[in-house]
Amino acid sequence: MLTIDSNFMRNNYGLKTGLYFFGKAKFNFDKYSITRGVLFAGFNTFNTFEPSKSGNIGVVVININNQTDTIPSPVNYSYTFNVFFFLLGFELAPTAVTSKVSPYFGANLSFNAFNGKLSRTENRVDSVTTSFNDFRIGVNFDAGMEFKINKQFGLALGVKFDLGNLLLRNTNGGIAD
């Protein structure tokens, strides 16, 4: 019997593989492009490739012998989770003036708005849906290599360490927590 843990949203929002779209703009603070302001906007959508999970749950009933019994009941969970974010930051590229390839290091303040929806359908008939949204503020740090194509455009390959959940999170036990 396949069972589903009904607390799967509480542990990690039921997150699975999804899609990530973003754009980043850099504005030079000096004529050598060493110090920059950064604007970053993006969208994450999770559970794109597995938006539901089906299985059985145990339902407690009184059988014909007046005893408590547990029988399997089919259940389907459909869930979505999306994050919209906007970042303001600062970036340092110490060798930007001397070459077409330059390392960069940055720090950003992130503003994150997320929303999700969970639907539970039992016995293919009874359905309950809840949705949630919240706003969080955090920081992230990034570093990488920038390859300049021309004066206005370049390609950046790097890594980002994100702590997007530092401020304004709730701990009152609700599903958005």
Side-chain angles (χ1 to χ4, degrees):
M1 174 167 79
L2 171 66
T3 60
I4 295 176
D5 180 5
S6 60
N7 288 321
F8 78 104
M9 285 293 280
R10 184 173 291 255
N11 295 334
N12 65 356
Y13 292 112
L15 299 182
K16 298 249 183 206
T17 306
L19 298 173
Y20 176 49
F21 302 98
F22 70 92
K24 187 175 187 179
K26 301 178 183 185
F27 302 95
N28 295 327
F29 289 147
D30 60 44
K31 69 179 182 174
Y32 301 111
S33 303
I34 294 173
T35 56
R36 308 169 182 152
V38 177
L39 292 176
F40 193 104
F43 171 72
N44 283 337
T45 179
F46 295 94
N47 308 328
T48 306
F49 305 108
E50 186 183 354
S52 65
K53 192 166 195 87
S54 296
N56 294 309
I57 59 170
V59 176
V60 177
V61 296
I62 306 277
N63 64 20
I64 59 173
N65 297 326
N66 206 23
Q67 297 174 335
T68 304
D69 198 1
T70 303
I71 60 169
S73 177
V75 67
N76 179 51
Y77 288 98
S78 298
Y79 45 92
T80 61
F81 188 81
N82 302 309
V83 181
F84 297 94
F85 55 92
F86 180 74
L87 283 73
L88 296 171
F90 179 78
E91 191 172 274
L92 182 63
T95 63
V97 71
T98 60
S99 66
K100 292 251 183 218
V101 178
S102 171
Y104 67 90
F105 310 93
N108 305 288
L109 183 63
S110 65
F111 303 93
N112 310 294
F114 61 88
N115 62 67
K117 181 178 172 183
L118 172 64
S119 296
R120 177 180 181 265
T121 304
E122 188 178 340
N123 290 324
R124 297 174 187 85
V125 177
D126 298 328
S127 188
V128 177
T129 300
T130 186
S131 61
F132 53 91
N133 56 55
D134 211 344
F135 178 77
R136 310 281 168 88
I137 297 175
V139 296
N140 72 40
F141 305 96
D142 64 343
M145 294 297 287
E146 182 178 78
F147 304 91
K148 295 178 187 166
I149 297 170
N150 61 35
K151 191 173 180 173
Q152 287 83 24
F153 294 99
L155 175 66
L157 299 174
V159 296
K160 180 174 75 164
F161 183 70
D162 203 336
L163 299 166
N165 197 22
L166 293 177
L167 300 174
L168 303 179
R169 67 179 174 206
N170 296 318
T171 57
N172 62 8
I175 194 165
D177 299 330

